[in-house]
Amino acid sequence: MNKRKKIYSVFSFLLAGTLCLSMAACGRTPTPAEDETTSSAPLSGALPVKALQPKHVDENPYMAKSDANIHHDGYNTDSTDEILPLGIYPEINVSFETTNPNASPAIYFDNYGHAVVPLLGGIAIRDLNATETKTLGYFSPMQHDGGGYVIQSSYTFLDSKNRVVCPTSNNHVLILRTTEEDGSVIPEFEKVLDIDIKAAAETALGKELTQNLLSVVFDYDGNLWFATGGFRIYPERQQQGVLGYIAHTAIESILNGEQTDLSKAVFVYGLPLGEGAENGIAASKDGAVILTNQNCYLLRAEEGVNVVWCTPYESVGAKVSHDGDKTTGGGLAWGGGCSPTLTPNLVLFTDNADPVKLLALDMKTGEVVASMPVLDDLPDGYQVAVENSAIVYDDGEGTVSTIVCNWFGAGNAGLADPDNDSSIQSYANIYDQNWLMKGNVMIAPGVERVDTLKTSDGYEMKSVWSRNDLRDTAIMKLSTATGYIYGYVQDLDTGMWQYIILDFATGETVFTMDVSNKYGYNNMAIGMYTGSNGNTLYCPTGYLELLRLQDRFVYLPELPYREVDLDQAARNVLSQDQFEQDGGEGTVASWHNTATICNVHPNTMVAFRMNNLSGSASDLTLYAYGADGKLEKVGSELWSLTDETGANVTELTDGVLYELRVTVSDGGDFDLSETEKEIKLSVVLGK
């Protein structure tokens, strides 16, 4: 069991007044009840679950089924269907960085739950929950490939075979095998594909490219699309850029060890001089969507690059601070800084006009079907630059919600230098040093939710809520499982960096948890990322500490001195179909909870805390997974539902914190661990 440094902090809930919650709860001994009673326990301070419908994203067969990239999926939604913390006896745990110059920034988790993160110019699988962040396997250009380049980690992604696809600073694309078939990590990743995209594109185009490779993605036919550019492309500099793809057949041939004539497999579309991509690529069944500094494109692979449509948009050009401003930095992009985000029917992004507008384009035609100014009511003296990918949530019933966040001030003014290569994704190249040293006082405020509504006449947009008191560079995340938006900000009055949770419906801050008032606890403007165990929100900092916000949703009532390792516990949404397939009867009534307990004693009682139960307790049946992967009913003598005092309950109220208490024996029917004196319990309630 890993030892962890923990940060316990005072936090606030703004629900119907301020509620306080003791941080010592996992250390107190509940009082068991002798008789079954209806609970009169007060409402818990934990946030009530406000679950949304799962995000509406068509699965890409050539990308991993997990959250496969920095924006979670090929649509770039920045939303997850995973559970995130709800303030159930919350704590912040820390992993210390001893190798990288910064804490591990945001990437993603593979199909086996391994964290894929940058490492010293390369890419690695690392244990982010260990006391000291531990490297399990990696690929280093310097150590393994002669050096001379770095992996452009922001736009790497996982393919369907759990391999990492990487653009590089020397204009190559690599595919790396990272795990064996059983999921074990390969200590030195195997390079299974290496293509010089720039050279191949120049051959196909018949001229030299003066822009570098920026981003790549697989379309739904397995073609690898690429775009050249940088985080800031000035039209007047007349750089030659391209959009294009490598045919799926060629990629498969290379992966099979066959010789391939790339001259017949690489297709390019030459852009007008001065045009180039400034963000990542999105893909859907309709094709690849690429936003340049001047236009938005839908492209298809049809024995060449087919430009289905090209829609121009407005920009006033690169935005930088002026003399006398409270900021010293600026934005990143010359054009729209927001990566395009898709739904099955729409493409959404912000332009870089003044004021900035949110645009919704018809996926089939490229027509602008709705638009409106966003973040246009800021205090005097602040500019707007939307540089982080927006959160886009499609409820599947005609409403698409977009959360945009102002980023202005965090960008490096040095990006304006004509000699600057804005494709280089280093902290020194991208970020304003005053923001890094002085915090969020150096950036502009503004977070807004805008809904795009399908009507009988087409589409319309409306602002649902706006927050001009928040300054966030962390790429906020939406959890559909909880119904909340998660961020990382700084309280400008106290200087305190904080995790925050916003109500998706209202924008209200419903949770804060303090971290530190030291400037180095900024989030590096890289973004947070969500763990795969349904209980972790990671945030890198400039102080070599990777933070993770977690709920202590599982504990041992009979052993209050013992802490369950939260990194060996999980809670996940179990679909009704999966529940029935695995042998459950009726309907799913809870999340799927799993915990591993070391050094157990006979008949150990494990308690799972949950606050999304309602109705009669007698209508519920507890199921546990067996070694065969099937659900079995647990005898009523082995489990109970109690309030936080240990008193049994008969009627359940949604929003009240209850405890599901299960007794399990080492080596018993419901112990999934083969290790002696260790149990692994995996349970779900059915109704």
Side-chain angles (χ1 to χ4, degrees), residues 157 197 213 215-220 222-227 243-246 251 267 269 281 283 287-288 290 298-302 304-306:
F157 66 90
I197 284 187
L213 175 65
S215 51
V216 294
V217 78
F218 275 133
D219 67 16
Y220 282 56
N223 303 297
L224 184 67
W225 286 88
F226 59 88
L243 314 175
Y245 71 93
I246 305 170
I251 293 172
F267 303 92
Y269 174 77
I281 308 171
I290 300 178
L298 175 65
L299 308 172
R300 289 195 193 122
E302 297 176 349
V305 178
N306 176 21

Side-chain angles (χ1 to χ4, degrees), residues 441-457:
V441 68
M442 302 303 298
I443 63 173
V447 181
E448 185 172 6
R449 171 182 163 184
V450 174
D451 282 2
T452 304
L453 309 171
K454 185 74 169 70
T455 70
S456 57
D457 300 322

Side-chain angles (χ1 to χ4, degrees), residues 545-559:
E545 293 184 10
L546 178 66
L547 311 177
R548 60 191 188 278
L549 177 66
Q550 298 177 297
D551 285 343
R552 187 153 291 281
F553 73 97
V554 57
Y555 79 108
L556 307 177
E558 300 167 326
L559 303 168

